Amino acid sequence: MPRIVVVSPPFASHAVPLSVLASALRRRGAEVYFACAPTFEELAARAGVAFLPLTVTRNANTGVAQTTDQAAAEAARLAEFVDATRAGAVETLVTQARHRRADMLADPEGVHAALRAVDERLRPDWYVVDQLNYAVTLALHCLGAPYATFCPGHPTYVLSGSDALFGVPYDWPEALRPDPSDAARLRAVAGENDRLFSGLFTDFARRTAPEVPSPGRAFGLTSPHAVLYSYPSLPWLPEPPGGPAHLFAGHMTRPVQSPGAAWLRRLDRFRDRADRVVLVAFGTFLSARDDVLRTVVSGLLDAAGDTAVVVAAGSRAEALADLAGERVVIAPTVPQQEVLPYVDAMVHHGGGNSFTECLRAGVPALVLPMSSDQFAVARDAERMGVGQVLDPNGLLPADVAKALDALGESAFSRSAHWASEVSGRGPGWGARRLLEVMGDRTAGR
């Protein structure tokens, strides 16, 4: 069986699903190494695979971005990003585009040298690389090393054609459609980034490996062999690029486990006091938006007396502690995958992990997208009938319970349908298909 190196950026929302995939590859007989920043070594141990310390970017997020130890410049940019989310969707995406210029190719020479050393020492048959790990993809392209691409979020992270631009949603949810002038401004900034980084990639490849083909568009650089998506296949998504096999695994989550005795006791108490239990979580970065968290919880308590609430509040747990009570638990972190089977609905930010975890659990959602691919994910939830979407910055307490009530029986029925659809896929399916495709396409390296 092959020797595979799974390379992850140092972000919990990426490293966790990649470690789940690494474990699934191991269970199918592969010799697997998980390469990530040293603070993520525990994920390799949990997956039962070897660990390679490898740092490929300057910033990091070990679970709650605001409490992760990182350089002052990275912390300042994180604060600027959170502030931008308060100004709305387009301003946030423009800010994120500007930040990419500072960190996307922070040390391409160092990443290339580190991966060349790994390649010479281990001689892996192939790699698995996060689509957003652009410096790693560029390095492997220059080394001529075969790799599969893992797409951690919305499938349009893999650009579908010349008109697609990284950082511009392929479609918008009804509640957040920008006006034409704002949409044009975003496309202009994204187009400038596309040209800038494509030039940087081409120059780096020409200096480093003039014998290899040009990498072309930076944001379009993807495995020519296989792309594995942690997402369901949806008929309205843009056609993916030709060449690689496109494998839609539906989700990349662990087998369902118990949340533990303490959480079970909390959830049992809630069932005694309320007819509906709602989980509220905005991921590892956006829990910083405690103003939106407060609006959500207040709305559920004020307008729906039969509702109990579990809130993952990150670094803002103390700031929201006054909301805790008989029907509200405020915690820095919540075992989301484990708690989801015990709740009736979720309020989340449209992150790819939260979206697919809800699908697997059959839990409908109120989606409040704020950044990145969340607008595209929210639009899909809307079209699938498994969620309501609102603008987090225009949210009033009364809107929250009204939106959850509006989900109705149809959303529960559609959620159950999609839970059935994705149950036959997941990491085991993805590992099997990757091994098949990559074995066929990289034989004889």
Side-chain angles (χ1 to χ4, degrees):
M1 292 299 286
R3 176 178 292 173
I4 305 166
V5 175
V6 177
V7 186
S8 174
F11 305 107
S13 56
H14 296 243
V16 170
L18 275 167
S19 71
V20 171
L21 176 61
S23 180
L25 289 166
R26 175 191 61 79
R27 288 196 302 274
R28 291 201 164 263
E31 180 186 356
V32 184
Y33 293 80
F34 184 72
C36 195
T39 49
F40 290 87
E41 184 172 2
E42 182 186 351
L43 288 180
R46 204 181 306 165
V49 301
F51 180 71
L52 282 176
L54 182 67
T55 300
V56 296
T57 185
R58 292 184 302 196
N59 52 357
N61 177 3
T62 58
V64 177
Q66 286 71 27
T67 60
T68 299
D69 184 19
Q70 50 196 334
E74 309 310 319
R77 286 197 294 120
L78 175 59
E80 184 182 4
F81 158 71
V82 173
D83 285 344
T85 67
R86 304 177 197 279
V90 169
E91 194 58 44
T92 301
L93 293 173
V94 167
T95 298
Q96 290 183 291
R98 189 173 68 251
H99 286 176
R100 284 184 198 106
R101 301 174 191 174
D103 71 358
M104 184 173 158
L105 281 182
D107 184 18
E109 291 82 6
V111 172
H112 181 268
L115 284 166
R116 182 176 57 199
V118 168
D119 203 58
E120 291 173 350
R121 179 163 65 90
L122 293 178
R123 298 304 298 167
D125 293 281
W126 43 278
Y127 296 79
V128 177
V129 184
D130 190 303
Q131 171 66 10
L132 301 188
N133 234 354
Y134 291 104
V136 173
T137 301
L138 176 61
L140 293 176
H141 174 83
C142 291
L143 290 168
Y147 65 95
T149 293
F150 173 74
C151 185
H154 197 269
T156 50
Y157 275 150
V158 178
L159 297 185
S160 58
S162 58
D163 289 340
L165 290 169
F166 181 72
V168 178
Y170 87 101
D171 196 6
W172 294 85
E174 295 293 343
L176 289 109
R177 291 190 185 277
D179 65 47
S181 61
D182 278 341
R185 178 166 67 98
L186 175 58
R187 284 193 63 85
V189 172
E192 182 183 353
N193 261 9
D194 191 89
R195 291 186 293 274
L196 170 65
F197 283 109
S198 295
L200 292 173
F201 273 42
T202 298
D203 290 347
F204 181 84
R206 188 180 296 122
R207 295 193 315 271
T208 306
E211 72 282 2
V212 305
S214 170
R217 292 179 68 192
F219 297 108
L221 185 58
T222 304
S223 169
H225 305 298
V227 181
L228 178 65
Y229 300 89
S230 180
Y231 211 84
S233 177
L234 302 174
W236 54 78
L237 292 176
E239 188 72 22
H246 295 277
L247 311 173
F248 288 83
H251 66 88
M252 201 58 56
T253 57
R254 303 183 299 270
V256 177
Q257 300 174 340
S258 168
W263 276 106
L264 287 174
R265 286 194 297 271
R266 286 169 169 168
L267 293 164
D268 284 344
R269 285 199 301 271
F270 278 176
R271 286 295 175 198
D272 291 338
R273 295 166 180 163
D275 296 328
R276 178 169 64 184
V277 180
V278 178
L279 172 62
V280 182
F282 292 165
T284 55
F285 283 96
L286 290 165
S287 56
R289 287 297 306 271
D290 59 314
D291 57 324
V292 182
L293 288 171
R294 181 174 290 278
T295 298
V296 170
V297 177
S298 298
L300 289 172
L301 293 181
D302 292 346
D306 62 343
T307 300
V309 191
V310 177
V311 185
S315 62
R316 307 306 296 161
E318 186 174 344
L320 297 170
D322 61 291
L323 294 173
E326 290 189 350
R327 291 191 288 121
V328 181
V329 167
I330 306 287
T333 60
V334 172
Q336 182 168 304
Q337 292 182 43
E338 289 77 13
V339 167
L340 268 171
Y342 298 88
V343 305
D344 302 291
M346 184 174 178
V347 181
H348 64 75
H349 59 307
N353 290 335
S354 293
F355 169 68
T356 56
E357 288 167 17
C358 282
L359 285 187
R360 191 189 75 164
V363 174
L366 167 60
V367 188
L368 306 173
M370 301 185 210
S371 69
S372 308
D373 64 334
Q374 295 160 21
F375 307 103
V377 172
R379 178 58 174 153
D380 288 343
E382 194 171 63
R383 293 188 70 170
M384 294 164 74
V386 298
Q388 291 277 320
V389 182
L390 295 176
D391 182 350
N393 291 312
L395 196 67
L396 298 174
D399 298 331
V400 179
K402 182 179 178 182
L404 286 176
D405 289 339
L407 287 171
E409 288 301 318
S410 63
F412 287 92
S413 174
R414 295 298 297 167
S415 295
H417 164 78
W418 280 102
S420 176
E421 284 286 310
V422 303
S423 64
R425 298 211 172 187
W429 182 93
R432 175 176 62 81
R433 293 291 289 121
L434 265 188
L435 288 166
E436 292 170 354
V437 172
M438 294 300 291
D440 291 342
R441 299 200 180 193
T442 63
R445 188 195 179 201

